[in-house]
Structure formats: C-alpha cells, structure tokens
Amino acid sequence: MVEAAAVPLQVPFRWLLGPGPSNVHPRVLQAMGAPPLGYLDPHWIAIMDHLARMLRALFRTRNPLTIAMPGTGTLGMETGIANLVEEGDVVVVGANGFFGERMAEIARRYGAVVAPVVGEWGKPLDPEAVEREMRKHPKVKVLAVVHAETSTGVLQPLEPLAALARRYESLFLVDAVTSLGGSPVEVDAWGIDCCFSASQKCLGCPPGLAPITVSPRGEEVIGKRSRPVRSFYVDLTLHHSYWGGQRLYHHTAPVNLLYALYEGLRLILEEGLEARWERHRRAARALWAGLEALGLRLLVPEPWRLPQLTTVLLPEGVDERGLRQALREEWGIEVGGGLGSLRGRVLRIGLMGMNASPSAVLTLLTALEALLPRLGFPVPAGAGVAAAARLLGAGA
Ligand SMILES: *Cc1c(COP(=O)(O)O)cnc(C)c1O
C-alpha cells in the first residue's frame, strides 16, 4: 500500500522573465478550460483548420504542411530532423550555442553525418565559415541553424544562410523557438524549408506544443524517403494525414493545449505581427538602457542582440544563484542563469509575449537596484529605472 496525503496544489504568482516559459494571458488560460472535444468531432476539425490558417499567418507561409506537434520545442527540433534526414545524409549545423549543439546531437542520433560549424558563443555564425564547411561535402542534405539562440541572446541573420542553402541545393532548417512571435520570421520570403517553434516563449501560451511548417520542397524530399521515419510519433506524413484531408487517427490531439494556442494566436493577430515585433524591440531597448545605466555589461553587441532574450554579464563577485534566488523569493521574478560555458557568469532575461511590457522592465530594474548593492555591487539608485522610463515614454 502506497499512501500520499492530499496536499493542495499551490502555485505562487511569478513574473516569468527567464528564457521561457513566459507569462500566459488570462484569455489563453480561460480558453484552456473549455471542455475537450473528440479528435474527429467536426466542430473540433473546424477549430483545427482555423488554427492551421493562423499558424500560416504567423509563419508567413502558404505551406500546406503547417501544424502544431504535441510536445515542446525540442519535439519540433526532433520532428524536423527526423523527417528531413536519412542515415548517412550530411547535415551542416551551426554550433554557436546550446540549442545549435542540441540540434547536432539529435541529427547524430538519427544517423546523419554531422558537420558542425563551431562559432563563438555570443556571436552569430559567419556565412563564410558556413560556406567553407558546405563546400567540403559532395552533397549537403540540410543546413540547420538556430534563429534566436536563447543560450546566448544572439539573433542570427538568416537571409545569407538561406542563399547558401539554395546555392548548394540543401534544405534550410530553422529553429525559431524563441523568435517566432517576437521578431520577424519570414518562412516563404526567406526560403526556409522547415521551421519550428514552441508555444511557451513569444507566443505566450503554456508549454506543450511545437508549431512546425514544411515547404513543398521539403515535403517532396520526405515523400521520396527510402525508409519511413524511424520514430512513429514524429512522422510528419502521419500527422499531416490527420491535420489534412483524410483525418486519419494518429494520436489523440491535446485538445485543451490547442485551444490555448488558438486563443494565443488570436491575441497575436489582433495585435498585428509588426506591432508585436516593435513592442518587443521597444521593451528590450528600455531594458538595455536600464541595465547599462546600472553599470552592467551585455554579452552580445547591439546589431545581433535578441530583443526577447538579453544576456547580461554579472559583475565580479556577485553570486548568480544568490541573486536569482533573491529575485524569486523576494520579488516573485524568475530569470535564467547561464548554460554551458556561460554558467555562473550571466543572467538571461526574457521579455517574451505579454512580458515585453513597461511594467515587466521597470519591475525587474527596480528589483535589481534593490538587490545588487546588497550582493556587493553598488549601483546609482534610481538610474536604471530612469533610463528605461525615458525610452518607454508616457505611461512609464
Ligand atoms: C527553449 C528552446 C528550445 C527547446 O524548447 P523546449 O520547449 O524546452 O523543448 C529549442 N531551441 C531554442 C532556441 C529554445 O530557446
């Protein structure tokens, strides 16, 4: 006999200002509470069809194969690779951050010959270095890169890399987990063959879904595979026959999460993508000015800095874990620590979705102004908030 007390669920409020998840709009939470429908109910099918239309608008694509995979961003990554890659294919991967390295690892597990383009953490990939790697192989099946590297805070310019993929007749696979909904992602205009994201970053939904889109060229390659995809669960052909014409059962759709995504996308379309990107830039510029006014330094130089995720270097002697714990316990604010080579050296501050707002920026700066002196780094009182408020203008 195993016993467990019926301990009530207790969920404190948090400002989720880390690398994801981000806070969820009340309308999204409310949508999640609607009763589940069966996965073949015609009413549900109509909801799915409209969800797919909204996903196409979000990715800026006409791709028929545009769906939401039932899992987190990593499942989106695995889906893209598992479907486009067959054993022995050469995959050139940008490895200048934690998630680029994860993509390389997944490609290896699916039997690819992985050719990493190693780059410095905190800088974008150099297209010339990518081309040097691509030229070494008679045939590169896939060029895979991360658009918004959440481990470093770099926004990778994609168009030069898309041009390379075209020139070498490779498929172009892009991790847009942290960029989609926060920065421009132009799947058709830039010529991306496979692009995936996650519900809990700039889309402002709970974690658990990975939107993904595949170009007709990518679909053709999948259609010509010599063997079926190894993983039954991520086989896009099977998913497409559920989301597309035949409505064949493959798995039970996580209906309530998809309701949440539906409402989250509706909020995005109501705001407008351009306005949303501008809101993310505006909040980020205010945060950067505030952090710099406190005497803090940012890891990534301005031209490549990612608005929705800022990596700030911790001053010598300030304990990263102590600072994050005080932010959480005393201010209810979650921020991220460093991954890999940046562990213990940085804070990662996310302003994603509804958190790209004056209230999030000013609350965080107020908290840092209070905590940093206590942890051994004196700051000019009020300077961070004042610098940010100036850029946020009226209402701040
Ligand atoms: C968060 C993230 C992922 C992984 O997403 P999960 O939802 O945690 O599985 C992949 N790539 C990037 C760039 C991310 O920021």
Side-chain angles (χ1 to χ4, degrees):
M1 179 75 178
V2 178
E3 304 226 9
V7 178
L9 176 67
Q10 287 189 22
V11 183
F13 176 79
R14 293 277 191 259
W15 285 94
L16 296 175
L17 305 184
S22 62
N23 287 84
V24 176
H25 195 283
R27 256 174 60 187
V28 172
L29 292 174
Q30 194 173 24
M32 275 188 95
L37 289 169
Y39 57 82
L40 291 178
D41 186 313
H43 199 90
W44 166 245
I45 298 292
I47 293 172
M48 264 174 102
D49 283 346
H50 192 61
L51 184 53
R53 274 194 287 279
M54 290 195 288
L55 284 173
R56 285 185 199 103
L58 178 69
F59 278 118
R60 307 260 215 175
T61 184
R62 295 183 187 283
N63 292 342
L65 176 41
T66 303
I67 66 174
M69 289 293 290
T72 65
T74 305
L75 188 78
M77 192 182 270
E78 180 144 356
T79 301
I81 291 166
N83 282 269
L84 296 183
V85 170
E86 294 198 64
E87 251 160 71
D89 286 344
V90 175
V91 178
V92 171
V93 186
N96 57 337
F98 180 87
F99 290 106
E101 289 176 2
R102 173 172 288 189
M103 209 144 50
E105 167 65 15
I106 293 176
R108 257 179 232 114
R109 289 183 183 216
Y110 279 91
V113 176
V114 172
V117 181
V118 177
E120 193 183 327
W121 283 42
K123 297 251 167 65
L125 294 168
D126 172 9
E128 282 177 20
V130 176
E131 180 158 23
R132 272 197 301 279
E133 190 57 50
M134 293 184 82
R135 228 186 280 136
K136 285 187 198 160
H137 309 275
K139 167 79 191 161
V140 173
K141 177 80 165 289
V142 175
L143 170 61
V145 299
V146 176
H147 187 207
E149 185 42 90
T150 323
S151 62
T152 58
V154 168
L155 185 63
Q156 173 71 47
L158 288 182
E159 287 177 272
L161 300 180
L164 280 179
R166 259 194 311 281
R167 193 169 330 133
Y168 288 83
E169 296 182 356
S170 308
L171 295 168
F172 190 37
L173 184 143
V174 172
D175 173 332
V177 170
T178 294
S179 51
L180 193 70
S183 296
V185 175
E186 301 279 359
V187 167
D188 285 2
W190 293 347
I192 300 172
D193 293 296
C194 177
C195 189
F196 58 87
S197 191
S199 48
Q200 80 275 19
K201 304 214 181 179
C202 291
L203 306 184
C205 292
L209 291 173
I212 187 167
T213 186
V214 178
S215 70
R217 201 161 71 113
E219 266 202 87
E220 204 184 306
V221 168
I222 295 171
K224 287 188 184 146
R225 289 179 61 95
S226 59
R227 292 214 191 106
V229 174
R230 284 245 167 207
S231 157
F232 181 84
Y233 202 59
V234 305
D235 186 334
L236 277 174
T237 308
L238 303 177
H239 284 268
H240 201 194
S241 61
Y242 172 51
W243 281 76
Q246 295 170 292
R247 309 292 175 188
L248 290 178
Y249 166 73
H250 171 258
H251 67 283
T252 306
V255 175
N256 295 63
L257 276 177
L258 290 158
Y259 294 158
L261 184 63
Y262 187 104
E263 195 61 18
L265 294 184
R266 216 158 70 86
L267 280 162
I268 292 175
L269 298 181
E270 282 172 12
E271 178 176 14
L273 277 172
E274 282 85 357
R276 193 175 175 90
W277 300 332
E278 181 51 31
R279 177 164 60 77
H280 279 80
R281 274 194 292 265
R282 206 170 128 83
R285 278 197 296 262
L287 175 69
W288 300 338
L291 293 171
E292 284 172 341
L294 294 180
L296 297 170
R297 287 182 30 241
L298 307 180
L299 176 75
V300 180
E302 170 106 42
W304 307 307
R305 218 178 270 161
L306 181 60
Q308 51 273 43
L309 193 287
T310 298
T311 310
V312 55
L313 293 160
L314 279 173
E316 204 61 46
V318 172
D319 171 37
E320 180 243 42
R321 293 186 55 177
L323 177 55
R324 285 204 291 138
Q325 187 180 338
L327 281 169
R328 188 178 58 244
E329 299 307 322
E330 297 172 36
W331 290 79
I333 298 173
E334 175 180 284
V335 298
L339 291 176
S341 59
L342 296 173
R343 179 177 292 265
R345 296 175 44 214
V346 298
L347 288 186
R348 290 184 302 143
I349 301 170
L351 298 175
M352 301 182 187
M354 62 186 284
N355 294 341
S357 69
S359 48
V361 171
L362 297 176
T363 303
L364 177 65
L365 288 170
T366 306
L368 289 174
E369 286 182 5
L371 295 175
L372 284 170
R374 211 174 77 198
L375 293 167
F377 184 71
V379 295
V385 169
R390 261 195 304 279
L391 289 183
L392 291 166

